[in-house]
Amino acid sequence: MAQQRHYFPITALLLITFLFLTVRLDSPWTGHHDENGSWISSGVRNYALYGADELGYLQVVNRGPADEDTFYYYVHHPPLIVWSATIFTEIFGGYADGRPYEAVVRLVSVYATMISIAAFYVIARRLFKHPRRALWTTALYAFTPMILYFGRMPNHEPLALGFILPFVAIYLNWMQNPTRNRWFAMAALAALAMWSAWAAAFIFAGLGVATLITGNNMQRQQMVVLGAVTAAFTLAIPGFYELHSSGSLE
């Protein structure tokens, strides 16, 4: 029972953060920085209109009627944010007049942000070995205005954080006890993060260098393999784009 009491404060913190992140969740795409939500919603809408299979699962972001000759393929960033918004829209039935609900599209980033906050608490607990200090550290992260503002925005970075922070939490355990399951979990999270945002590469590169410096020989070898796997998944993105839309690499 005493152990369970440690979870009450962090549970309350998560609930309060979720409340802040969901204020005016259904606001239309007319605010500052809402261009991201607009084009991502267009990608979701076009999957519904033309069929994801017909579009080769590429991000087509035309705002109005289009055909194969006028499709605008957005290939500058990884596609997982549009795919995730599409899945959420299908699950929650979030369409109105043929367009996805703003609230459902925002929920992708909200849930990813909540996962990142929970993982941040796990990381702080493992580093500080002190629940109260971990709680205050997590509160500083969660209530940072940048997190509350951008954490609900449909964009690549909030989604990527939902994979990066669990990766770091598992990485800390792996550094103490490198197991095969932890390595595979890190590989899966790294792949998902890279298919969410290019910037995730800097986190993995930094942790890779740290492992090469502080890890044992087996950890160094496994980290090199993990880096190669992550690089392969990253290179697969432009390869996927080029395969379905010739000229994407150019």
Side-chain angles (χ1 to χ4, degrees):
M1 190 66 180
Q3 180 68 22
Q4 291 179 347
R5 291 197 192 98
H6 291 312
Y7 296 107
F8 294 155
I10 184 58
T11 301
L13 174 63
L14 290 172
L15 290 174
I16 294 171
T17 306
F18 185 77
L19 176 64
F20 284 140
L21 289 171
T22 53
V23 171
R24 300 182 67 242
L25 194 66
D26 60 347
S27 299
W29 307 121
T30 56
H32 192 47
H33 289 125
D34 275 346
E35 171 64 17
N36 292 318
S38 178
W39 76 258
I40 289 170
S41 293
S42 295
V44 176
R45 168 185 170 274
N46 288 327
Y47 281 153
L49 281 177
Y50 306 109
D53 187 56
E54 289 295 320
L55 299 179
Y57 296 93
L58 296 178
Q59 304 167 95
V60 175
V61 296
N62 297 70
R63 308 297 172 91
D67 55 36
E68 187 174 355
D69 295 328
T70 59
F71 283 153
Y72 177 70
Y73 295 101
Y74 185 84
V75 294
H76 303 294
H77 290 87
L80 196 57
I81 182 62
V82 176
W83 292 354
S84 300
T86 300
I87 293 171
F88 269 54
T89 305
E90 292 296 327
I91 291 175
F92 294 109
Y95 286 101
D97 300 324
R99 62 178 181 81
Y101 290 127
E102 291 87 347
V104 176
V105 176
R106 284 192 178 100
L107 275 178
V108 176
S109 294
V110 170
Y111 287 161
T113 300
M114 294 299 298
I115 291 171
S116 76
I117 294 171
F120 190 96
Y121 177 73
V122 173
I123 294 168
R125 280 283 302 268
R126 291 173 184 170
L127 291 177
F128 295 134
K129 313 294 185 185
H130 193 287
R132 183 173 298 177
R133 190 176 300 173
L135 178 68
W136 280 107
T137 306
T138 306
L140 288 172
Y141 172 76
F143 295 146
T144 298
M146 185 178 68
I147 295 297
L148 292 178
Y149 182 81
F150 290 102
R152 52 180 271 139
M153 178 187 296
N155 205 2
H156 308 277
E157 286 75 21
L159 180 61
L161 283 174
F163 301 120
I164 292 172
L165 271 297
F167 177 98
V168 176
I170 296 172
Y171 170 82
L172 292 176
N173 276 353
W174 177 80
M175 287 297 289
Q176 295 295 323
N177 181 23
T179 66
R180 179 180 299 179
N181 288 341
R182 287 171 179 165
W183 187 93
F184 278 113
M186 289 193 298
L189 289 167
L192 289 169
M194 291 310 307
W195 276 70
S196 301
W198 303 122
F202 294 101
I203 302 295
F204 301 133
L207 292 174
V209 172
T211 305
L212 294 177
I213 295 173
T214 63
N216 58 40
N217 287 334
M218 184 182 69
Q219 287 172 327
R220 293 190 187 101
Q221 294 172 3
Q222 290 186 358
M223 182 55 70
V224 169
V225 176
L226 180 61
V229 170
T230 303
F233 274 104
T234 305
L235 292 173
I237 300 170
F240 168 77
Y241 285 157
E242 181 66 26
L243 180 65
H244 289 85
S245 178
S246 179
S248 294
L249 286 178
E250 181 182 355

